[in-house]
Amino acid sequence: MVDLERIKAETVAYFRALEVSATLRHHFRATDEDGAVWYFEAASDGGELIAIKQAELTPAGQLHRYSWEHLEDDHGFLTDQALHPEEHPLEAIPAEEFQRVWTQ
């Protein structure tokens, strides 16, 4: 039987450790086909960019935030897939822009 609590605890620990240890962070923005704007703060892990914070600003103005402190809710979740800015329409943005959205 799958121990979901253990898996969640390990996931939280991974993202928390990555956020705490990250010395270099990358920030991106993307708009999806529904008009939502996605913001990512990512850190490198094993040569891949891993989202450690993610925010979605919906067309209706709702803000959904995900990090190790809040992995998921009824609306969505922190992506568990590496970010590939060269393959997806991710635009690099200044850290200040990400923080402005994250803290609103």
Side-chain angles (χ1 to χ4, degrees), residues 17-103:
L18 190 55
E19 182 178 343
V20 169
S21 68
T23 55
L24 178 61
R25 296 171 190 231
H26 306 268
H27 300 88
F28 302 100
R29 174 181 59 214
T31 303
D32 69 20
E33 63 278 354
D34 296 323
V37 183
W38 294 84
Y39 296 86
F40 300 94
E41 180 174 82
S44 182
D45 183 35
E48 294 191 304
L49 285 177
I50 305 298
I52 55 176
K53 290 182 180 175
Q54 170 185 315
E56 177 195 8
L57 185 58
T58 70
Q62 295 177 311
L63 181 64
H64 303 279
R65 284 178 272 210
Y66 304 98
S67 69
W68 67 267
E69 295 176 283
H70 180 74
L71 287 175
E72 63 183 314
D73 57 28
D74 290 340
H75 183 77
F77 57 91
L78 179 63
T79 184
D80 59 357
Q81 301 297 308
L83 301 177
H84 299 281
E86 68 283 353
E87 297 174 14
H88 301 286
L90 295 175
E91 176 186 356
I93 61 171
E96 296 79 20
E97 180 178 344
F98 177 86
Q99 286 303 320
R100 180 185 52 77
V101 172
W102 184 258
T103 58

